[in-house]
Amino acid sequence: MLGVVQTADGMPIYHEVFAGNTSEAPTLKPTLQKVLSRYPHIKRLIVVADRGLLSLDNIEELGKFKLTGDQPLEFILAVPGRRYGEFEEILAFFQAKAGQAEAEIVGEATWQSLRLVVAHNPERAREQTDLRRQRIAALQMRADALAGKLDDQDAGQVRRGRKLSDSGAKARFFHEVADARLSRIIKVGLTSDLFTYDIDTQAQQRAELMDGKLLLVTNVLDLTPQEIVSRYKHWRTSSAASRC
């Protein structure tokens, strides 16, 4: 795994090769220490990073970093919103406005005593919601087909192919749900003797709440919410270009 450190303009200034089985989050602190020791003249550093690097431990560690002149390290980190149930309440103030938006809107709240900048893209939200609902509907049809085959077998009807058991139907459907990344919403009754499943409507509503949203946590105080979003998107664009 190749890690590249680059400037805000996309100029690579340092790289390191990590073992392929290394997760991203633990690499942040040692990499920052190496960069700062290599470039001690840096007076201001704003770390922009994606969702894979965010953890509460990382935020605490970043807050302890100091540059020359005791200048604190600043950061803009994307938040994996679906991991944190508390965002449902935090974003309630924003959702009414987001529901009527025709173009991207940006707002701000507070999370973990830090700025939480939220951008909502209504077109992207509609695409994500529609795609998820289509996948859920397709899996419900698949579950109905499996249940129908089990019912027919119990009624003595013979179908082509191998005989299906409840445990086999559960295992097959569970893997299909997992492959669709919908296991938080579609709950397969793995402990039940019979093939059953439920739709967690609250989990589905929470997922739809997060659709189209970009959540950024930051300790940068002199940039507006729109500038925070622009800085992150610029990093994403230049980062993607550097990988091509």
Side-chain angles (χ1 to χ4, degrees), residues 1 4 7 43 45 56 69 71 87 98 113 120 137 139 141 145 151 161 187 202 206-207:
M1 184 68 69
V4 179
T7 67
K43 295 181 179 180
L45 178 61
L56 296 182
Q71 175 74 15
F87 286 153
S113 301
H120 177 79
L139 284 167
M141 291 180 62
D151 290 341
K187 308 291 186 181
Q202 185 175 7
R206 185 180 297 120

Side-chain angles (χ1 to χ4, degrees), residues 106 108 115 117 218 220-231:
V106 179
E108 183 173 343
R115 296 176 69 189
V117 176
T218 181
V220 178
L221 300 179
D222 61 343
L223 296 179
T224 66
Q226 289 78 8
E227 289 171 333
I228 295 290
V229 173
S230 295
R231 179 69 64 93

Side-chain angles (χ1 to χ4, degrees), residues 48-70:
V48 184
D50 216 340
R51 294 169 175 82
L53 288 175
L54 180 68
S55 71
L56 296 182
D57 291 337
N58 273 347
I59 291 179
E60 185 177 354
E61 290 294 333
L62 288 175
K64 297 176 182 178
F65 269 91
K66 299 295 181 182
L67 281 64
T68 303
D70 210 33

Side-chain angles (χ1 to χ4, degrees), residues 72-207:
L73 177 74
E74 296 170 283
F75 55 82
I76 300 172
L77 301 179
V79 179
R82 289 179 174 84
R83 299 182 189 176
Y84 301 101
E86 69 237 52
F87 286 153
E88 185 174 5
E89 182 177 348
I90 292 174
L91 294 177
F93 83 99
F94 188 74
Q95 191 58 20
K97 186 188 298 184
Q100 300 184 9
E102 295 298 328
E104 184 177 74
I105 59 173
V106 179
E108 183 173 343
T110 301
W111 180 67
Q112 299 292 331
S113 301
L114 294 165
R115 296 176 69 189
L116 179 68
V117 176
V118 186
H120 177 79
N121 184 319
E123 182 177 355
R124 178 62 174 154
R126 285 190 290 269
E127 290 174 354
Q128 291 177 327
T129 298
D130 289 345
L131 179 59
R132 185 186 301 104
R133 290 179 179 179
Q134 290 171 15
R135 288 176 176 173
I136 291 173
L139 284 167
Q140 286 180 300
M141 291 180 62
R142 172 63 170 155
D144 290 344
L146 291 171
K149 185 172 183 178
L150 290 170
D151 290 341
D152 288 347
Q153 288 177 174
D154 291 342
Q157 298 183 24
V158 179
R159 288 192 180 187
R160 295 177 62 182
R162 295 174 119 189
K163 187 175 181 179
L164 183 67
S165 65
D166 283 275
S167 60
K170 285 187 293 184
R172 189 178 302 179
F173 189 61
F174 175 79
H175 287 299
E176 292 177 7
V177 169
D179 288 343
R181 298 184 178 182
L182 288 171
S183 54
R184 295 183 181 218
I185 296 174
I186 301 178
K187 308 291 186 181
V188 184
L190 296 177
T191 60
S192 172
D193 293 333
L194 301 177
F195 170 55
T196 62
Y197 75 95
D198 288 309
I199 302 294
D200 188 334
T201 56
Q202 185 175 7
Q204 183 176 352
Q205 291 170 359
R206 185 180 297 120

